[in-house]
Amino acid sequence: MIHQAKMVRLVEDIAAKLGVTDRRVIEAVASVPRHWFVDEALRLRAYSDDALPIGYGQTISKVSTVLRMTALLNPQRGEKVLEIGTGSGFQAAVLARLADSVYSVERVGALALRAREMLNSLRAYRVHIRTGDGSKGWAKHAPYDKIIVTAAADRMPHALLEQLAHGGLLVTPVAGSSGQVLKEVRRLDDDNWEEVALEACRFVPLVEGSTAR
Ligand code: SAH
């Protein structure tokens, strides 16, 4: 079976299992060639629901994780999205198919560079990538309609809450004493946020402070 057909089948299966019904989201995830985003030796595993290593101790998220988080975030045309943790660039490519512009911050310089090249070859020019500590957000382009964090912080990153537009939505894993929990935070106005704890999840840790080459 060709790659794209495998991806469509995998995403459809996962969507049915998770109860995701939004065709825009399903099609956006299924249309990004995931095998391009992993090392050649792992290509055969690109179309399974596994998190795969991308170097530097990091992983490309599971397809089910990308689908679930994208469905929660529900990016729309006209919206500006911030992603923390570019990694392979796969999630950013998915977001670019749905939103107007995507700003993505990656701590590891080499990953940011590789993701940029990959996204260029996919002509995903709506994605802007910066190397830096994403726990501080990307103030220059704030406020954001949606913010997605793909690494788990020990506490809700304050800077990200501040960079949300009024009515905006943040989806992030947060690590606690009994493991990581996926959280959704809606900004109501200047100083009110509404937080909902969703299911348990598993992400690599969000590392604060200086960046790595
Ligand atoms: N969204 C990615 C998944 C990446 S895994 C994908 O689709 O492939 C999480 C990423 O977060 C890793 O690449 C890791 O280097 C990055 N990361 C960890 N701490 C960070 C921080 N403080 N700021 C920005 N990126 C960070």
Side-chain angles (χ1 to χ4, degrees):
M1 216 188 316
I2 61 161
H3 288 301
Q4 209 50 41
K6 284 188 197 167
M7 187 64 173
V8 169
R9 180 184 285 183
L10 177 69
V11 176
E12 294 286 356
D13 285 352
I14 295 168
K17 229 175 281 169
L18 295 181
V20 173
T21 54
D22 188 339
R23 294 309 308 171
R24 292 171 61 246
V25 169
I26 294 169
E27 277 153 28
V29 177
S31 67
V32 179
R34 191 170 186 249
H35 64 282
W36 286 17
F37 290 82
V38 299
D39 196 75
E40 218 161 336
L42 296 169
R43 290 225 162 131
L44 287 174
R45 288 176 62 200
Y47 297 110
S48 62
D49 192 22
D50 296 328
L52 299 170
I54 54 172
Y56 310 90
Q58 307 305 324
T59 55
I60 179 172
S61 301
K62 292 170 71 167
V63 176
S64 50
T65 303
V66 173
L67 189 70
R68 170 74 174 140
M69 289 186 86
T70 307
L72 285 170
L73 207 67
N74 191 20
Q76 303 287 332
R77 280 279 171 256
E79 289 184 346
K80 194 181 350 171
V81 179
L82 173 66
E83 177 192 31
I84 306 305
T86 317
S88 67
F90 181 79
Q91 173 78 71
V94 171
L95 296 171
R97 305 223 159 175
L98 297 165
D100 253 29
S101 50
V102 179
Y103 293 87
S104 188
V105 185
E106 170 55 53
R107 185 176 167 273
V108 180
L111 286 176
L113 216 72
R114 204 162 70 196
R116 176 69 274 157
E117 284 171 7
M118 193 53 66
L119 292 164
N120 280 348
S121 54
L122 282 174
R123 301 208 183 93
Y125 304 125
R126 297 169 193 276
V127 183
H128 309 271
I129 299 176
R130 186 173 78 88
T131 301
D133 178 4
S135 64
K136 298 186 179 67
W138 191 343
K140 191 175 166 201
H141 303 286
Y144 300 95
D145 302 296
K146 307 280 169 70
I147 302 180
I148 176 174
V149 186
T150 67
D154 290 333
R155 57 199 155 70
M156 193 60 77
H158 190 74
L160 301 185
L161 296 176
E162 289 298 340
Q163 290 176 24
L164 261 186
H166 291 184
L169 183 72
L170 163 72
V171 176
T172 182
V174 179
S177 50
S178 52
Q180 297 175 8
V181 178
L182 194 59
K183 292 194 170 170
E184 201 181 51
V185 184
R186 172 89 50 195
R187 183 170 197 173
L188 304 177
D189 51 38
D190 249 2
D191 30 42
N192 287 290
W193 290 260
E194 191 176 69
E195 180 180 312
V196 181
L198 304 164
E199 69 269 20
C201 59
R202 204 160 142 200
F203 287 84
V204 297
L206 186 81
V207 182
E208 293 189 36
S210 69
T211 56
R213 287 203 299 158

